[in-house]
Amino acid sequence: MKKNATRIGIILVLVLLIAGAATLGAQGQKGEAEGPITLTVWNFKYAEEIGGKAFREMDRLFMEQNPGIIIDHQAQPESNYYQLLISAFSAKSDLDVFLTHTDQRAWGISESYYLLDDQIKDVMDTYADSALEACSETKSKDSGIKILPLTAQGNGFYYNKTLLKQAGLDPEVVPSDWNTFLNACEKLKNAGITPIIYGNQGSPFGICFTYRTILGTLLSSDEIDGFTDGSTTFKRDEYVQATRMIKELFDKGYVNVENSSIPYFMDGITDFQAGKGAFFCGLNSDIAHWKDFGTALGYENVGYFSAPVASNAKYPLAQVNQGAGIGFAVADHSPHKEAAAKYVKFMTSGEAGKVFMDATGAIVPNSTIPVDASNPMLTDILEKMNSHATPDIMNRVPGGMITDYYNFMTLYFISGEISESRYIDQVEAIYRSNL
Amino acid sequence: MKRTRFRMTQDAKDALVLLSPLLVLTGVFLVFPVASNFYYSLTKWKGLGTPVFIGLENYRQLFQDTRFYSSLKSLGTLVLYIPLGVFLPLVIANILRTGLHGWKAYRALLYLPNIIGPVILGTIFSVILSQVGPITEILKSLGYANANEFYMLGKSTSAINTLSFLFVVWMRVGFGCIYFLAAMSTIDESLYDAAKIDGTNKFQDFIHITIPGIRFSIEFFTVLAFIEVFARMYGMIFTLTGGGPGYATYTLEFGVYMLSFSAYQKGYASAWAVILFFFCAIIALVQIRLIRKGEQS
């Protein structure tokens, strides 16, 4: 009886060990089988209706031209995307290509991104220099490229000309000068029109995007770059000034009262599209952009300016330009790096890039994709992005500070619970602790 | 010198062999992660690459970190709600026990939050309590012009109190009622009959018979509440407040997640997890003592 118990126990342990080993072995075997290569692609935009449809079409084109490669495109949630990526990198799980932003969230884990330099020599000159710099680990257009750009991105203010007209304003006068902007907000408010639509629930993007545009006009490119290594501080007068400018908008009642209860994506955007407010700090590409608003309100009824410009702004024409907003990268542990590199090149240029641009209105920074020059608003934005580009502060600060930074934005601008000095001190402390 | 030789009995050997699969699983999935967490708390590591040993630097940083003290403050507020979170279901269970018309329907309604779960509840309440939610609309319809300003999650004090009430009190009422009702069913009915002969009222029955009769269950439920507060709140915080405004609803558990997965500071997050581990260990010790006490009594 006792011997039987011992035997049963030993068998149980052995079964457990064999099952574990078999599972690990099976994982190790994956990808080594002969036949067509399957590339697993992760994408936080794949579940979107328009974007997803475009990606499916782009994949179809790629597989048609590359019969030996199968694309397994998987939608992933954007809210936890980088956490999922870290887990995939750590576990070296099935992941070959992934969509990524080009900010510090990416550069914080870029050792797991495959260096594309050798794979893209033949097409380097087709990408915009600013886009390649944004996609380079060394911020060089010639080397250190770990992402291929799918969109060029920036921020700016869109305005509803019809509502301005209703408030007795001349819609053809661009209200970018700070005093003109405030005057327009006051008149709109008096006419019963909400001057500014912000979406600040969860992440206060309304406030954050406004900061980006204003700081672009107050700080030089080098000063903004200085946020990467701590050589620029949040205690600078320019940051204090931008803070006061945004606070003034809140204090004077120019911001939609429900701003802290509606998320920027998509409620803020749809409110502006529905004509519920006159100004909206949007994006230049991809979403919340010229096409979204032009289609909803009529292109002739939408105006655009890069930023509200203070009278002492040193760079009044500055247009925030991230170089690249999102792009495709290859996982360093992928067993199919060459095929994966081929795929990311295909997706960010030529026929596939055009499919994405036409579907979403994104600005794809690749010369093989002709940009529609017939749209005056797009032409204006492109001219600003090309001629007056300045870096985006949020692409420079450490990715780890963003959540806490947003929490204190809410506490200062919306709850009004802390003083300006405490807010600035706290932001600086958060920044330093994440450097 | 005579050496004593350790010899296992055959029964002990058999027990060890039979327990070994469980021991292996516990070692791999529980002991090893906890032990490695202690090691990582002494390193600078972001979850990728090789951890760099930095000694007690993470702990030095932790004790200077505003977030850490805000977390303790939040936990303090949450803990203050535990007495209410225990007392309320106890009273409701007592009312249900003594008979209430249609009490089965009430029981189902009260248990509903437990079925839905904290993530969904957090999301639902973030909408209900928002400036564009039903509460604001009701207030507006009642003629309160500035209803938009009534935003419970927008201010630090109201946010942590709202979170505390929802999670520690409201969400646990259903489970508490069922739990206490089950415990009350074990009390000998003859005690109540005898008390009735002595002329006691329902309140006196509750204080002198019911509470002493289920004392162990009340203590155990209280310990469970502590565990929930320290180690199971993440889902609701994430969906309801995101730790804000500021750090008003930050807790140790939430901090571990944010530092680890949002800030890529896994080494530092491990130091937070070690502190959380000690809090949980204290609660577990209390729980074990209570169980032993219950078994003895």
Side-chain angles (χ1 to χ4, degrees), chain A residues 28-104:
Chain A
Q29 292 289 319
K30 240 175 183 179
E32 287 168 20
E34 283 179 23
I37 292 170
T38 298
L39 291 180
T40 303
V41 183
W42 280 15
N43 187 331
F44 55 82
K45 296 185 83 63
Y46 198 62
E48 289 175 9
E49 191 186 345
I50 297 170
K53 199 175 161 194
F55 283 122
R56 281 190 286 280
E57 175 61 12
M58 291 151 82
D59 286 345
R60 191 192 63 74
L61 288 170
F62 179 78
M63 287 191 279
E64 201 175 85
Q65 293 174 28
N66 299 274
I69 304 174
I70 296 165
I71 302 299
D72 177 16
H73 214 130
Q74 299 175 3
Q76 298 290 352
E78 187 168 5
S79 54
N80 290 328
Y81 190 66
Y82 290 90
Q83 290 88 318
L84 292 169
L85 274 183
I86 290 176
S87 303
F89 295 150
S90 301
K92 298 196 189 309
S93 55
D94 284 349
L95 172 65
D96 300 288
V97 176
F98 52 96
L99 192 71
T100 175
H101 294 93
T102 61
D103 57 24
Q104 296 302 320

Coordinates of all heavy atoms in Angstrom, one line a residue, chain A residues 28-104:
Chain A
G28 N 9.1 26.5 -28.2 CA 10.4 26.6 -28.9 C 10.3 26.2 -30.4 O 11.0 26.8 -31.2
Q29 N 9.5 25.2 -30.7 CA 9.4 24.7 -32.0 C 8.7 25.7 -33.0 O 8.9 25.7 -34.2 CB 8.6 23.4 -32.0 CG 9.3 22.3 -31.3 CD 10.4 21.7 -32.1 OE1 10.3 21.6 -33.3 NE2 11.5 21.4 -31.4
K30 N 7.8 26.6 -32.4 CA 7.0 27.4 -33.2 C 7.9 28.3 -34.2 O 8.9 28.8 -33.7 CB 6.2 28.4 -32.4 CG 4.7 28.1 -32.6 CD 3.9 28.9 -31.7 CE 2.4 28.6 -32.0 NZ 1.6 29.3 -31.1
G31 N 7.5 28.4 -35.4 CA 8.2 29.3 -36.3 C 9.4 28.6 -37.0 O 10.0 29.1 -37.9
E32 N 9.7 27.3 -36.6 CA 10.8 26.7 -37.2 C 10.2 25.7 -38.3 O 11.0 25.1 -39.0 CB 11.6 25.9 -36.2 CG 12.4 26.8 -35.3 CD 13.0 26.1 -34.1 OE1 13.1 24.9 -34.2 OE2 13.4 26.8 -33.2
A33 N 8.9 25.6 -38.4 CA 8.3 24.6 -39.3 C 8.6 25.2 -40.8 O 8.7 26.4 -41.0 CB 6.9 24.5 -39.1
E34 N 8.6 24.2 -41.7 CA 8.8 24.6 -43.1 C 7.5 25.1 -43.7 O 6.4 24.9 -43.1 CB 9.3 23.4 -43.9 CG 10.8 23.2 -43.7 CD 11.3 21.9 -44.4 OE1 10.6 21.6 -45.5 OE2 12.3 21.4 -44.0
G35 N 7.5 25.8 -44.8 CA 6.3 26.3 -45.5 C 6.3 27.9 -45.4 O 7.3 28.5 -45.1
P36 N 5.1 28.5 -45.7 CA 5.1 29.9 -45.7 C 5.4 30.5 -44.3 O 5.0 29.9 -43.3 CB 3.6 30.2 -46.1 CG 3.0 28.9 -46.3 CD 3.9 27.8 -45.9
I37 N 6.0 31.7 -44.3 CA 6.2 32.4 -43.0 C 5.0 33.1 -42.6 O 4.3 33.7 -43.4 CB 7.4 33.4 -43.3 CG1 8.7 32.7 -43.5 CG2 7.5 34.3 -42.1 CD1 9.8 33.6 -44.0
T38 N 4.7 33.0 -41.3 CA 3.6 33.8 -40.8 C 4.1 34.9 -39.9 O 4.9 34.6 -39.0 CB 2.7 32.9 -39.9 OG1 2.1 31.9 -40.8 CG2 1.5 33.7 -39.3
L39 N 3.8 36.1 -40.3 CA 4.2 37.3 -39.5 C 3.1 37.7 -38.6 O 2.0 37.9 -39.0 CB 4.6 38.4 -40.4 CG 5.9 38.3 -41.2 CD1 6.0 39.6 -42.0 CD2 7.1 38.1 -40.4
T40 N 3.4 37.7 -37.2 CA 2.3 38.2 -36.3 C 2.5 39.7 -36.1 O 3.6 40.2 -35.8 CB 2.5 37.5 -35.0 OG1 2.4 36.1 -35.2 CG2 1.4 37.9 -34.0
V41 N 1.4 40.4 -36.4 CA 1.5 41.9 -36.3 C 0.5 42.4 -35.2 O -0.6 42.0 -35.2 CB 1.1 42.5 -37.6 CG1 1.2 44.0 -37.6 CG2 1.9 42.0 -38.8
W42 N 1.1 43.2 -34.3 CA 0.2 43.8 -33.3 C -0.1 45.3 -33.6 O 0.8 46.0 -34.1 CB 0.9 43.8 -31.9 CG 0.8 42.5 -31.2 CD1 0.5 41.3 -31.8 CD2 1.1 42.2 -29.8 NE1 0.5 40.3 -30.8 CE2 0.9 40.8 -29.6 CE3 1.5 43.0 -28.8 CZ2 1.1 40.3 -28.4 CZ3 1.7 42.4 -27.5 CH2 1.5 41.1 -27.3
N43 N -1.3 45.6 -33.4 CA -1.7 47.0 -33.8 C -2.8 47.5 -32.9 O -3.9 46.9 -32.8 CB -2.3 46.8 -35.3 CG -2.6 48.1 -35.9 OD1 -2.9 49.1 -35.3 ND2 -2.4 48.1 -37.3
F44 N -2.6 48.7 -32.3 CA -3.6 49.2 -31.4 C -4.7 50.0 -32.2 O -5.6 50.6 -31.6 CB -2.9 50.1 -30.3 CG -2.1 51.2 -30.9 CD1 -2.6 52.4 -31.3 CD2 -0.7 51.1 -30.9 CE1 -1.8 53.4 -31.8 CE2 0.1 52.1 -31.4 CZ -0.4 53.2 -31.9
K45 N -4.5 50.1 -33.5 CA -5.5 50.8 -34.3 C -6.3 49.8 -35.2 O -7.2 50.3 -35.9 CB -4.9 51.9 -35.2 CG -4.2 53.0 -34.4 CD -3.6 54.0 -35.3 CE -4.7 55.0 -35.7 NZ -5.2 55.8 -34.6
Y46 N -6.0 48.6 -35.0 CA -6.6 47.6 -35.9 C -8.1 47.4 -35.7 O -8.9 47.1 -36.6 CB -5.9 46.3 -35.8 CG -6.1 45.3 -36.9 CD1 -5.7 45.6 -38.2 CD2 -6.7 44.1 -36.7 CE1 -5.9 44.7 -39.2 CE2 -6.9 43.2 -37.7 CZ -6.5 43.5 -39.0 OH -6.7 42.6 -40.0
A47 N -8.6 47.7 -34.4 CA -10.0 47.5 -34.1 C -10.8 48.7 -34.6 O -12.0 48.7 -34.6 CB -10.1 47.3 -32.6
E48 N -10.1 49.8 -35.0 CA -10.9 51.0 -35.4 C -11.6 50.7 -36.8 O -10.9 50.0 -37.6 CB -10.0 52.2 -35.6 CG -9.5 52.8 -34.3 CD -8.5 53.9 -34.5 OE1 -8.2 54.3 -35.7 OE2 -7.9 54.3 -33.5
E49 N -12.7 51.2 -37.0 CA -13.5 50.8 -38.2 C -12.8 51.2 -39.5 O -12.5 50.4 -40.3 CB -14.9 51.5 -38.1 CG -15.8 51.0 -39.2 CD -17.1 51.8 -39.2 OE1 -17.4 52.5 -38.3 OE2 -17.8 51.7 -40.2
I50 N -12.4 52.5 -39.6 CA -11.8 52.9 -40.8 C -10.3 52.4 -40.9 O -9.9 51.9 -41.9 CB -11.8 54.5 -40.9 CG1 -13.3 54.9 -41.0 CG2 -11.0 55.0 -42.1 CD1 -13.5 56.4 -40.8
G51 N -9.6 52.6 -39.8 CA -8.2 52.2 -39.8 C -8.0 50.7 -40.1 O -7.2 50.3 -40.9
G52 N -8.9 49.9 -39.4 CA -8.8 48.5 -39.5 C -9.1 48.0 -40.9 O -8.4 47.1 -41.4
K53 N -10.1 48.7 -41.5 CA -10.4 48.3 -42.9 C -9.2 48.6 -43.8 O -8.8 47.8 -44.7 CB -11.6 49.1 -43.4 CG -12.3 48.6 -44.5 CD -13.6 49.4 -44.8 CE -14.1 49.2 -46.2 NZ -15.0 50.1 -46.7
A54 N -8.5 49.7 -43.6 CA -7.4 50.1 -44.4 C -6.2 49.1 -44.2 O -5.6 48.6 -45.2 CB -6.9 51.5 -44.0
F55 N -6.0 48.7 -42.9 CA -4.9 47.7 -42.7 C -5.2 46.4 -43.3 O -4.3 45.7 -43.8 CB -4.7 47.6 -41.2 CG -4.0 48.7 -40.5 CD1 -4.6 49.4 -39.5 CD2 -2.7 49.1 -40.9 CE1 -3.9 50.5 -38.9 CE2 -2.0 50.1 -40.3 CZ -2.7 50.9 -39.3
R56 N -6.5 46.0 -43.3 CA -6.8 44.7 -43.9 C -6.5 44.7 -45.4 O -6.0 43.8 -46.0 CB -8.3 44.3 -43.7 CG -8.5 43.8 -42.3 CD -9.9 43.2 -42.1 NE -10.9 44.3 -42.0 CZ -11.1 44.9 -40.8 NH1 -10.5 44.7 -39.7 NH2 -12.1 45.9 -40.8
E57 N -6.8 45.9 -46.0 CA -6.6 46.0 -47.5 C -5.1 46.1 -47.7 O -4.6 45.4 -48.7 CB -7.3 47.3 -48.0 CG -7.0 47.7 -49.4 CD -7.4 46.6 -50.4 OE1 -8.2 45.7 -50.0 OE2 -7.0 46.7 -51.6
M58 N -4.3 46.7 -46.9 CA -2.9 46.8 -47.0 C -2.3 45.4 -46.9 O -1.4 45.0 -47.7 CB -2.3 47.8 -46.0 CG -2.7 49.2 -46.2 SD -2.7 50.2 -44.7 CE -1.0 50.6 -44.4
D59 N -2.7 44.7 -45.9 CA -2.3 43.3 -45.8 C -2.6 42.4 -47.0 O -1.7 41.6 -47.4 CB -2.9 42.6 -44.5 CG -2.4 43.2 -43.2 OD1 -1.3 43.8 -43.3 OD2 -3.0 42.9 -42.2
R60 N -3.8 42.6 -47.5 CA -4.2 41.8 -48.7 C -3.2 42.1 -49.9 O -2.7 41.2 -50.5 CB -5.6 42.2 -49.1 CG -6.2 41.3 -50.2 CD -7.5 41.8 -50.7 NE -7.3 43.1 -51.5 CZ -6.8 43.2 -52.7 NH1 -6.4 42.1 -53.3 NH2 -6.7 44.4 -53.3
L61 N -2.9 43.4 -50.1 CA -1.9 43.8 -51.1 C -0.6 43.1 -50.9 O 0.1 42.6 -51.8 CB -1.8 45.3 -51.2 CG -3.0 46.1 -51.7 CD1 -2.8 47.6 -51.5 CD2 -3.2 45.8 -53.2
F62 N -0.1 43.2 -49.6 CA 1.2 42.6 -49.3 C 1.3 41.1 -49.6 O 2.2 40.6 -50.2 CB 1.6 42.9 -47.9 CG 2.9 42.4 -47.5 CD1 4.1 43.0 -47.8 CD2 3.0 41.2 -46.7 CE1 5.3 42.5 -47.5 CE2 4.2 40.7 -46.4 CZ 5.4 41.3 -46.7
M63 N 0.2 40.4 -49.1 CA 0.2 39.0 -49.3 C 0.1 38.6 -50.8 O 0.6 37.6 -51.2 CB -0.9 38.3 -48.4 CG -0.6 38.4 -47.0 SD -1.7 37.4 -45.9 CE -3.0 38.5 -45.7
E64 N -0.6 39.4 -51.5 CA -0.8 39.2 -52.9 C 0.6 39.3 -53.6 O 0.9 38.5 -54.5 CB -1.7 40.3 -53.5 CG -2.4 39.9 -54.8 CD -3.3 41.1 -55.2 OE1 -2.9 42.1 -55.8 OE2 -4.5 40.9 -54.8
Q65 N 1.4 40.2 -53.2 CA 2.7 40.4 -53.8 C 3.8 39.5 -53.2 O 4.9 39.4 -53.7 CB 3.1 41.9 -53.7 CG 2.2 42.8 -54.5 CD 2.6 44.3 -54.3 OE1 3.7 44.7 -54.0 NE2 1.6 45.1 -54.5
N66 N 3.5 39.0 -52.0 CA 4.5 38.1 -51.3 C 3.8 36.8 -50.9 O 3.5 36.6 -49.7 CB 5.1 38.8 -50.1 CG 5.8 40.1 -50.5 OD1 7.0 40.1 -50.8 ND2 5.0 41.2 -50.4
P67 N 3.6 35.9 -51.9 CA 2.8 34.7 -51.6 C 3.5 33.8 -50.5 O 2.8 33.0 -49.9 CB 2.8 34.0 -52.9 CG 3.8 34.7 -53.8 CD 4.1 36.0 -53.3
G68 N 4.7 34.0 -50.2 CA 5.4 33.1 -49.2 C 5.2 33.7 -47.7 O 5.7 33.1 -46.8
I69 N 4.5 34.8 -47.6 CA 4.3 35.4 -46.3 C 2.8 35.5 -45.9 O 2.1 36.1 -46.7 CB 5.0 36.7 -46.2 CG1 6.5 36.6 -46.6 CG2 4.9 37.3 -44.8 CD1 7.3 37.9 -46.7
I70 N 2.5 35.0 -44.8 CA 1.1 35.2 -44.3 C 1.1 36.2 -43.2 O 2.0 36.2 -42.3 CB 0.5 33.8 -43.8 CG1 0.5 32.9 -45.0 CG2 -0.8 34.0 -43.2 CD1 0.3 31.4 -44.5
I71 N 0.1 37.1 -43.2 CA 0.1 38.2 -42.2 C -1.0 37.8 -41.2 O -2.2 37.7 -41.6 CB -0.2 39.6 -42.8 CG1 0.9 39.9 -43.8 CG2 -0.3 40.6 -41.7 CD1 2.3 40.0 -43.2
D72 N -0.6 37.7 -39.9 CA -1.6 37.4 -38.8 C -1.7 38.8 -38.0 O -1.0 39.0 -37.1 CB -1.2 36.3 -37.9 CG -2.1 36.0 -36.8 OD1 -3.2 36.5 -36.8 OD2 -1.7 35.4 -35.8
H73 N -2.6 39.6 -38.5 CA -2.7 41.0 -37.9 C -3.7 40.9 -36.7 O -4.8 40.5 -36.8 CB -3.3 41.9 -39.0 CG -2.7 43.3 -38.9 ND1 -2.2 44.0 -40.0 CD2 -2.6 44.2 -37.9 CE1 -1.8 45.2 -39.6 NE2 -2.0 45.3 -38.3
Q74 N -3.2 41.3 -35.6 CA -4.0 41.2 -34.3 C -4.3 42.6 -33.7 O -3.3 43.4 -33.5 CB -3.3 40.3 -33.3 CG -3.1 38.9 -33.8 CD -2.3 38.1 -32.9 OE1 -1.9 38.5 -31.8 NE2 -2.0 36.8 -33.3
A75 N -5.5 42.8 -33.3 CA -5.8 44.1 -32.7 C -5.5 44.0 -31.2 O -5.7 42.9 -30.6 CB -7.3 44.3 -32.8
Q76 N -4.9 45.0 -30.7 CA -4.5 45.1 -29.2 C -5.1 46.3 -28.6 O -5.2 47.4 -29.3 CB -3.0 45.0 -29.0 CG -2.3 43.8 -29.6 CD -2.6 42.5 -28.7 OE1 -3.3 42.6 -27.7 NE2 -2.3 41.4 -29.2
P77 N -5.4 46.3 -27.3 CA -6.0 47.6 -26.7 C -4.9 48.6 -26.6 O -3.8 48.3 -26.1 CB -6.5 47.1 -25.4 CG -5.7 45.9 -25.1 CD -5.3 45.2 -26.4
E78 N -5.3 49.9 -26.9 CA -4.3 50.9 -26.8 C -3.9 51.3 -25.3 O -2.8 51.7 -25.0 CB -4.8 52.2 -27.5 CG -3.7 53.3 -27.6 CD -4.0 54.4 -28.5 OE1 -5.2 54.4 -29.1 OE2 -3.2 55.3 -28.7
S79 N -4.9 51.1 -24.5 CA -4.7 51.5 -23.1 C -3.6 50.8 -22.4 O -2.9 51.4 -21.6 CB -6.0 51.4 -22.3 OG -6.5 50.1 -22.4
N80 N -3.4 49.5 -22.7 CA -2.3 48.8 -22.1 C -1.3 48.3 -23.1 O -0.6 47.3 -22.8 CB -2.9 47.5 -21.3 CG -3.7 47.9 -20.1 OD1 -3.4 48.9 -19.5 ND2 -4.7 47.2 -19.9
Y81 N -1.2 48.9 -24.2 CA -0.4 48.4 -25.3 C 1.0 48.2 -25.0 O 1.6 47.1 -25.3 CB -0.6 49.4 -26.5 CG 0.0 48.9 -27.8 CD1 -0.6 47.8 -28.4 CD2 1.1 49.5 -28.4 CE1 -0.1 47.4 -29.6 CE2 1.6 49.0 -29.6 CZ 1.0 47.9 -30.2 OH 1.5 47.5 -31.4
Y82 N 1.6 49.2 -24.3 CA 3.1 49.1 -24.1 C 3.4 48.0 -23.0 O 4.4 47.4 -23.0 CB 3.7 50.4 -23.8 CG 3.7 51.2 -25.1 CD1 2.6 52.0 -25.4 CD2 4.7 51.1 -26.0 CE1 2.6 52.7 -26.6 CE2 4.7 51.8 -27.2 CZ 3.6 52.6 -27.5 OH 3.6 53.2 -28.7
Q83 N 2.4 47.9 -22.0 CA 2.6 46.8 -21.0 C 2.6 45.5 -21.7 O 3.4 44.6 -21.4 CB 1.4 46.9 -20.0 CG 1.5 48.1 -19.1 CD 0.8 49.3 -19.7 OE1 0.9 49.6 -20.8 NE2 0.1 50.1 -18.8
L84 N 1.6 45.3 -22.7 CA 1.6 44.1 -23.4 C 2.8 43.8 -24.2 O 3.3 42.7 -24.3 CB 0.3 44.1 -24.3 CG -1.0 44.1 -23.6 CD1 -2.1 44.3 -24.6 CD2 -1.3 42.7 -23.0
L85 N 3.3 44.9 -24.8 CA 4.6 44.8 -25.6 C 5.7 44.3 -24.7 O 6.5 43.4 -25.1 CB 5.0 46.1 -26.2 CG 4.3 46.5 -27.6 CD1 4.9 47.8 -28.1 CD2 4.6 45.4 -28.6
I86 N 5.9 44.9 -23.5 CA 6.9 44.5 -22.6 C 6.8 43.0 -22.3 O 7.8 42.3 -22.3 CB 6.9 45.4 -21.3 CG1 7.3 46.8 -21.6 CG2 7.9 44.8 -20.3 CD1 7.3 47.7 -20.5
S87 N 5.6 42.6 -22.0 CA 5.4 41.2 -21.7 C 5.8 40.3 -22.9 O 6.4 39.3 -22.7 CB 3.9 40.9 -21.3 OG 3.5 41.7 -20.3
A88 N 5.4 40.7 -24.1 CA 5.7 39.9 -25.3 C 7.2 39.9 -25.5 O 7.8 38.8 -25.8 CB 5.0 40.5 -26.5
F89 N 7.9 41.0 -25.2 CA 9.4 41.0 -25.4 C 10.0 40.1 -24.4 O 11.0 39.4 -24.7 CB 9.9 42.5 -25.3 CG 9.5 43.4 -26.3 CD1 9.3 44.8 -26.0 CD2 9.2 43.0 -27.6 CE1 8.9 45.7 -27.0 CE2 8.8 43.9 -28.6 CZ 8.6 45.2 -28.3
S90 N 9.5 40.2 -23.1 CA 10.2 39.4 -22.0 C 10.0 37.9 -22.3 O 10.9 37.2 -22.1 CB 9.5 39.8 -20.7 OG 9.7 41.1 -20.4
A91 N 8.8 37.6 -22.8 CA 8.5 36.2 -23.0 C 8.9 35.7 -24.4 O 8.8 34.5 -24.7 CB 7.0 35.9 -22.8
K92 N 9.4 36.6 -25.2 CA 9.8 36.3 -26.6 C 8.7 35.6 -27.3 O 8.9 34.6 -27.9 CB 11.1 35.5 -26.6 CG 12.3 36.3 -26.0 CD 13.6 35.7 -26.5 CE 14.8 36.2 -25.7 NZ 14.9 37.7 -25.7
S93 N 7.5 36.1 -27.1 CA 6.3 35.4 -27.6 C 6.1 35.7 -29.1 O 6.9 36.6 -29.6 CB 5.0 35.8 -26.8 OG 4.9 37.2 -26.8
D94 N 5.2 35.1 -29.7 CA 5.0 35.3 -31.2 C 4.6 36.7 -31.5 O 3.4 37.1 -31.4 CB 3.8 34.4 -31.6 CG 4.2 32.9 -31.7 OD1 5.5 32.7 -31.6 OD2 3.4 32.0 -31.8
L95 N 5.6 37.5 -31.9 CA 5.4 38.8 -32.3 C 6.5 39.2 -33.2 O 7.7 39.2 -32.8 CB 5.3 39.8 -31.1 CG 5.3 41.3 -31.4 CD1 4.0 41.6 -32.1 CD2 5.4 42.1 -30.1
D96 N 6.2 39.6 -34.4 CA 7.2 40.0 -35.4 C 7.2 41.5 -35.6 O 8.3 42.1 -35.7 CB 7.0 39.2 -36.7 CG 7.1 37.7 -36.5 OD1 8.2 37.2 -36.2 OD2 6.0 37.1 -36.5
V97 N 6.0 42.0 -35.9 CA 5.9 43.5 -36.3 C 4.9 44.1 -35.3 O 3.9 43.4 -34.9 CB 5.5 43.6 -37.7 CG1 5.3 45.0 -38.1 CG2 6.5 43.0 -38.7
F98 N 5.1 45.4 -35.0 CA 4.1 46.0 -34.2 C 4.0 47.5 -34.5 O 5.0 48.1 -34.9 CB 4.4 45.8 -32.7 CG 5.8 46.2 -32.3 CD1 6.0 47.4 -31.8 CD2 6.8 45.3 -32.4 CE1 7.3 47.8 -31.4 CE2 8.1 45.6 -32.1 CZ 8.4 46.9 -31.5
L99 N 2.8 48.0 -34.4 CA 2.6 49.5 -34.5 C 3.0 50.1 -33.2 O 2.8 49.6 -32.2 CB 1.1 49.8 -34.8 CG 0.8 51.2 -35.3 CD1 1.2 51.4 -36.7 CD2 -0.7 51.5 -35.2
T100 N 3.7 51.3 -33.4 CA 4.2 51.9 -32.2 C 4.2 53.4 -32.3 O 4.2 53.9 -33.4 CB 5.7 51.5 -31.9 OG1 6.2 52.2 -30.8 CG2 6.6 51.7 -33.0
H101 N 4.1 54.2 -31.2 CA 4.3 55.6 -31.2 C 5.8 55.9 -31.4 O 6.6 54.9 -31.2 CB 3.7 56.2 -30.0 CG 2.2 56.1 -29.8 ND1 1.6 55.1 -29.1 CD2 1.2 56.9 -30.3 CE1 0.3 55.2 -29.2 NE2 0.0 56.3 -29.9
T102 N 6.1 57.1 -31.5 CA 7.6 57.4 -31.6 C 8.0 58.3 -30.4 O 9.1 58.9 -30.5 CB 7.8 58.2 -32.9 OG1 7.1 59.5 -32.9 CG2 7.4 57.4 -34.2
D103 N 7.2 58.3 -29.4 CA 7.6 59.1 -28.2 C 8.4 58.2 -27.2 O 8.8 57.1 -27.5 CB 6.4 59.7 -27.6 CG 5.3 58.7 -27.2 OD1 5.7 57.5 -27.0 OD2 4.1 59.1 -27.1
Q104 N 8.5 58.7 -26.0 CA 9.3 58.1 -25.0 C 8.8 56.7 -24.5 O 9.5 55.9 -23.9 CB 9.5 59.0 -23.7 CG 10.3 60.3 -24.1 CD 11.7 60.0 -24.6 OE1 12.4 59.1 -24.2 NE2 12.1 60.7 -25.6

